[in-house]
């Protein structure tokens, strides 16, 4: 199959047709590609037909429940990916230092951080680059970057997928807290062993039936079995339940600061802490990264440690 795209109808955007075809294949369906490109399925279908007509070949075999690349489609897909990467690299080299982000950046961020702490860096990005628009989606799972058309994600905790590029933005300290009502006048626990007899709230993404605490000075580590009365995957739900005396919990210091200062919460075993949670910015590997992503990374490297009052990782 010839991959000369010069035969495409001059009235159509040739690169748009090629990029649409690649997005259909990566997303797995026309409807998923339409969602990723923020357009309609009929529009995606018309672009595919225009590309097939211009090349004179069938690229996809479609049925009600399945979609499969033809042999010509597989060859076209491979060349189209090279063409897109080459064009992006060419644009980057020509623009050089004056490369200004333009278009849409799609980011996934955790619910807790994305509602509050990360909004200021986001606003800074939009103020600095007025030709940019951001789709700011909040959920706590790692996205399907290709299928959902996501540029990058901010994640907290371990990154189980070794295929992504992961930039460590910092580490958030975590402490044990409870409400004065929960203690009911009793002395504050001094050692982790005393925590097992108290009711707990489990933050199920990070701990469920046991917690591990480390002494801040001499490094001793203690594992404590716990019996939670409440399991939740939401930081704010945990915080509110702790304030109401449902149980004690481990949480990020930044999220509990106001309650601690107001006396609604107290820090338990203050010389002991849970392992800090790393904050990552992750994105899929590629030969070329567009300016919209590179500039966002630059801002987040500086702004995230400032937002959480933490030290940035060394070696940046």
């Amino acid at each position: 199959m010839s991959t000369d795209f010069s035969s495409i109808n001059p009235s159509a955007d040739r690169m748009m047709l090629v990029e649409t075809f690649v997005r259909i294949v990566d997303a797995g369906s026309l409807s998923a590609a339409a969602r990723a490109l923020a357009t309609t399925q009929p529009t995606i279908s018309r672009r595919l037909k225009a590309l097939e007509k211009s090349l004179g070949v069938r690229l996809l075999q479609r049925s009600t429940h399945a979609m499969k690349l033809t042999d010509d489609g597989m060859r076209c897909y491979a060349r189209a990916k090279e063409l897109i990467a080459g064009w992006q690299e060419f644009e980057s080299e020509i623009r050089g230092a004056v490369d200004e982000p333009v278009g849409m950046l799609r980011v996934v961020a955790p619910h807790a951080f994305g509602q509050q702490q990360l909004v200021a860096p986001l606003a800074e990005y939009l103020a600095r680059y007025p030709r940019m628009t951001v789709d700011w989606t909040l959920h706590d799972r790692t996205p399907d970057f290709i299928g959902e058309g996501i540029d990058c994600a901010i994640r907290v905790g371990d990154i189980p997928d070794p295929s992504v590029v992961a930039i460590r933005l910092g580490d958030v300290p975590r402490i044990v807290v409870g409400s004065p009502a929960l203690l009911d006048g009793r002395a504050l626990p001094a050692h982790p062993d005393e925590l097992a007899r108290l009711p707990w709230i489990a933050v199920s993404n990070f701990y469920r039936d046991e917690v591990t605490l480390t002494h801040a000075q001499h490094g001793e580590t203690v594992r404590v079995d716990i019996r939670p009365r409440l399991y939740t995957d939401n930081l704010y739900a945990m915080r509110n339940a702790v304030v109401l005396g449902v149980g004690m919990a481990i949480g990020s210091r930044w999220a509990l600061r106001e309650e601690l200062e107001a006396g609604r919460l107290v820090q338990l075993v203050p010389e002991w802490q849970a392992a800090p949670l790393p904050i990552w910015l992750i994105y899929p590997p590629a030969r070329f990264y567009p300016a919209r992503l590179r500039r966002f990374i630059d801002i987040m490297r500086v702004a995230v440690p400032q937002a959480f009052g933490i030290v940035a990782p060394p070696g940046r």
Side-chain angles (χ1 to χ4, degrees), residues 236-252:
Y236 293 131
M238 175 274 285
R239 182 187 64 188
N240 294 338
V242 175
V243 170
L244 293 172
V246 174
M248 59 185 180
I250 292 174
S252 302

PDB file of all heavy atoms in Angstrom, residues 236-252:
ATOM      1  N   TYR A 236     -11.616  13.320  52.565  1.00  0.00           N
ATOM      2  CA  TYR A 236     -12.482  14.248  53.294  1.00  0.00           C
ATOM      3  C   TYR A 236     -13.519  13.507  54.133  1.00  0.00           C
ATOM      4  O   TYR A 236     -13.862  13.948  55.243  1.00  0.00           O
ATOM      5  CB  TYR A 236     -13.164  15.200  52.317  1.00  0.00           C
ATOM      6  CG  TYR A 236     -12.190  16.146  51.636  1.00  0.00           C
ATOM      7  CD1 TYR A 236     -12.201  16.318  50.254  1.00  0.00           C
ATOM      8  CD2 TYR A 236     -11.246  16.854  52.378  1.00  0.00           C
ATOM      9  CE1 TYR A 236     -11.303  17.178  49.637  1.00  0.00           C
ATOM     10  CE2 TYR A 236     -10.351  17.711  51.771  1.00  0.00           C
ATOM     11  CZ  TYR A 236     -10.384  17.874  50.396  1.00  0.00           C
ATOM     12  OH  TYR A 236      -9.493  18.721  49.795  1.00  0.00           O
ATOM     13  N   ALA A 237     -14.036  12.403  53.630  1.00  0.00           N
ATOM     14  CA  ALA A 237     -14.974  11.598  54.423  1.00  0.00           C
ATOM     15  C   ALA A 237     -14.283  11.063  55.666  1.00  0.00           C
ATOM     16  O   ALA A 237     -14.863  11.056  56.767  1.00  0.00           O
ATOM     17  CB  ALA A 237     -15.532  10.460  53.575  1.00  0.00           C
ATOM     18  N   MET A 238     -13.031  10.613  55.492  1.00  0.00           N
ATOM     19  CA  MET A 238     -12.274  10.142  56.647  1.00  0.00           C
ATOM     20  C   MET A 238     -12.093  11.251  57.670  1.00  0.00           C
ATOM     21  O   MET A 238     -12.349  11.082  58.869  1.00  0.00           O
ATOM     22  CB  MET A 238     -10.910   9.621  56.193  1.00  0.00           C
ATOM     23  CG  MET A 238      -9.975   9.215  57.334  1.00  0.00           C
ATOM     24  SD  MET A 238      -9.003  10.589  58.016  1.00  0.00           S
ATOM     25  CE  MET A 238      -7.799  10.828  56.738  1.00  0.00           C
ATOM     26  N   ARG A 239     -11.669  12.425  57.208  1.00  0.00           N
ATOM     27  CA  ARG A 239     -11.426  13.538  58.123  1.00  0.00           C
ATOM     28  C   ARG A 239     -12.683  13.899  58.907  1.00  0.00           C
ATOM     29  O   ARG A 239     -12.640  14.084  60.130  1.00  0.00           O
ATOM     30  CB  ARG A 239     -10.935  14.744  57.336  1.00  0.00           C
ATOM     31  CG  ARG A 239     -10.593  15.952  58.203  1.00  0.00           C
ATOM     32  CD  ARG A 239     -10.280  17.162  57.342  1.00  0.00           C
ATOM     33  NE  ARG A 239     -11.449  17.583  56.552  1.00  0.00           N
ATOM     34  CZ  ARG A 239     -11.413  18.517  55.607  1.00  0.00           C
ATOM     35  NH1 ARG A 239     -10.268  19.103  55.300  1.00  0.00           N
ATOM     36  NH2 ARG A 239     -12.512  18.850  54.953  1.00  0.00           N
ATOM     37  N   ASN A 240     -13.814  13.999  58.225  1.00  0.00           N
ATOM     38  CA  ASN A 240     -15.058  14.380  58.899  1.00  0.00           C
ATOM     39  C   ASN A 240     -15.499  13.320  59.903  1.00  0.00           C
ATOM     40  O   ASN A 240     -16.012  13.637  60.980  1.00  0.00           O
ATOM     41  CB  ASN A 240     -16.154  14.622  57.865  1.00  0.00           C
ATOM     42  CG  ASN A 240     -15.865  15.824  56.982  1.00  0.00           C
ATOM     43  OD1 ASN A 240     -15.095  16.701  57.365  1.00  0.00           O
ATOM     44  ND2 ASN A 240     -16.461  15.858  55.804  1.00  0.00           N
ATOM     45  N   ALA A 241     -15.291  12.040  59.548  1.00  0.00           N
ATOM     46  CA  ALA A 241     -15.674  10.968  60.463  1.00  0.00           C
ATOM     47  C   ALA A 241     -14.788  10.962  61.703  1.00  0.00           C
ATOM     48  O   ALA A 241     -15.258  10.687  62.818  1.00  0.00           O
ATOM     49  CB  ALA A 241     -15.604   9.623  59.735  1.00  0.00           C
ATOM     50  N   VAL A 242     -13.506  11.269  61.530  1.00  0.00           N
ATOM     51  CA  VAL A 242     -12.608  11.340  62.686  1.00  0.00           C
ATOM     52  C   VAL A 242     -13.045  12.480  63.609  1.00  0.00           C
ATOM     53  O   VAL A 242     -13.094  12.324  64.836  1.00  0.00           O
ATOM     54  CB  VAL A 242     -11.147  11.531  62.231  1.00  0.00           C
ATOM     55  CG1 VAL A 242     -10.244  11.729  63.452  1.00  0.00           C
ATOM     56  CG2 VAL A 242     -10.667  10.327  61.436  1.00  0.00           C
ATOM     57  N   VAL A 243     -13.375  13.624  63.047  1.00  0.00           N
ATOM     58  CA  VAL A 243     -13.827  14.761  63.852  1.00  0.00           C
ATOM     59  C   VAL A 243     -15.065  14.390  64.662  1.00  0.00           C
ATOM     60  O   VAL A 243     -15.225  14.799  65.821  1.00  0.00           O
ATOM     61  CB  VAL A 243     -14.115  15.979  62.952  1.00  0.00           C
ATOM     62  CG1 VAL A 243     -14.819  17.078  63.741  1.00  0.00           C
ATOM     63  CG2 VAL A 243     -12.818  16.518  62.363  1.00  0.00           C
ATOM     64  N   LEU A 244     -15.956  13.573  64.101  1.00  0.00           N
ATOM     65  CA  LEU A 244     -17.187  13.170  64.778  1.00  0.00           C
ATOM     66  C   LEU A 244     -16.977  12.035  65.777  1.00  0.00           C
ATOM     67  O   LEU A 244     -17.931  11.578  66.406  1.00  0.00           O
ATOM     68  CB  LEU A 244     -18.241  12.760  63.742  1.00  0.00           C
ATOM     69  CG  LEU A 244     -18.759  13.897  62.856  1.00  0.00           C
ATOM     70  CD1 LEU A 244     -19.643  13.344  61.743  1.00  0.00           C
ATOM     71  CD2 LEU A 244     -19.527  14.919  63.695  1.00  0.00           C
ATOM     72  N   GLY A 245     -15.736  11.563  65.920  1.00  0.00           N
ATOM     73  CA  GLY A 245     -15.439  10.553  66.931  1.00  0.00           C
ATOM     74  C   GLY A 245     -15.697   9.122  66.518  1.00  0.00           C
ATOM     75  O   GLY A 245     -15.747   8.230  67.367  1.00  0.00           O
ATOM     76  N   VAL A 246     -15.868   8.865  65.215  1.00  0.00           N
ATOM     77  CA  VAL A 246     -16.121   7.494  64.754  1.00  0.00           C
ATOM     78  C   VAL A 246     -14.912   6.605  65.014  1.00  0.00           C
ATOM     79  O   VAL A 246     -15.038   5.434  65.371  1.00  0.00           O
ATOM     80  CB  VAL A 246     -16.481   7.490  63.255  1.00  0.00           C
ATOM     81  CG1 VAL A 246     -16.593   6.063  62.724  1.00  0.00           C
ATOM     82  CG2 VAL A 246     -17.766   8.264  63.020  1.00  0.00           C
ATOM     83  N   GLY A 247     -13.732   7.156  64.872  1.00  0.00           N
ATOM     84  CA  GLY A 247     -12.513   6.392  65.091  1.00  0.00           C
ATOM     85  C   GLY A 247     -11.319   7.273  64.809  1.00  0.00           C
ATOM     86  O   GLY A 247     -11.456   8.446  64.458  1.00  0.00           O
ATOM     87  N   MET A 248     -10.143   6.708  64.979  1.00  0.00           N
ATOM     88  CA  MET A 248      -8.942   7.461  64.621  1.00  0.00           C
ATOM     89  C   MET A 248      -8.465   6.986  63.258  1.00  0.00           C
ATOM     90  O   MET A 248      -8.920   5.967  62.723  1.00  0.00           O
ATOM     91  CB  MET A 248      -7.863   7.281  65.679  1.00  0.00           C
ATOM     92  CG  MET A 248      -7.439   5.861  65.898  1.00  0.00           C
ATOM     93  SD  MET A 248      -6.269   5.782  67.261  1.00  0.00           S
ATOM     94  CE  MET A 248      -5.966   4.021  67.281  1.00  0.00           C
ATOM     95  N   ALA A 249      -7.514   7.729  62.677  1.00  0.00           N
ATOM     96  CA  ALA A 249      -7.103   7.411  61.319  1.00  0.00           C
ATOM     97  C   ALA A 249      -5.727   7.988  61.048  1.00  0.00           C
ATOM     98  O   ALA A 249      -5.195   8.784  61.833  1.00  0.00           O
ATOM     99  CB  ALA A 249      -8.108   7.958  60.303  1.00  0.00           C
ATOM    100  N   ILE A 250      -5.174   7.566  59.925  1.00  0.00           N
ATOM    101  CA  ILE A 250      -3.924   8.131  59.424  1.00  0.00           C
ATOM    102  C   ILE A 250      -4.258   8.970  58.205  1.00  0.00           C
ATOM    103  O   ILE A 250      -4.966   8.519  57.302  1.00  0.00           O
ATOM    104  CB  ILE A 250      -2.925   7.019  59.052  1.00  0.00           C
ATOM    105  CG1 ILE A 250      -2.458   6.294  60.316  1.00  0.00           C
ATOM    106  CG2 ILE A 250      -1.728   7.584  58.292  1.00  0.00           C
ATOM    107  CD1 ILE A 250      -1.574   5.093  60.037  1.00  0.00           C
ATOM    108  N   GLY A 251      -3.772  10.199  58.199  1.00  0.00           N
ATOM    109  CA  GLY A 251      -4.052  11.083  57.070  1.00  0.00           C
ATOM    110  C   GLY A 251      -2.899  12.014  56.784  1.00  0.00           C
ATOM    111  O   GLY A 251      -1.970  12.172  57.587  1.00  0.00           O
ATOM    112  N   SER A 252      -2.964  12.640  55.614  1.00  0.00           N
ATOM    113  CA  SER A 252      -1.941  13.609  55.217  1.00  0.00           C
ATOM    114  C   SER A 252      -2.030  14.846  56.112  1.00  0.00           C
ATOM    115  O   SER A 252      -3.115  15.367  56.357  1.00  0.00           O
ATOM    116  CB  SER A 252      -2.148  14.010  53.755  1.00  0.00           C
ATOM    117  OG  SER A 252      -2.093  12.881  52.910  1.00  0.00           O
TER     118      SER A 252
END
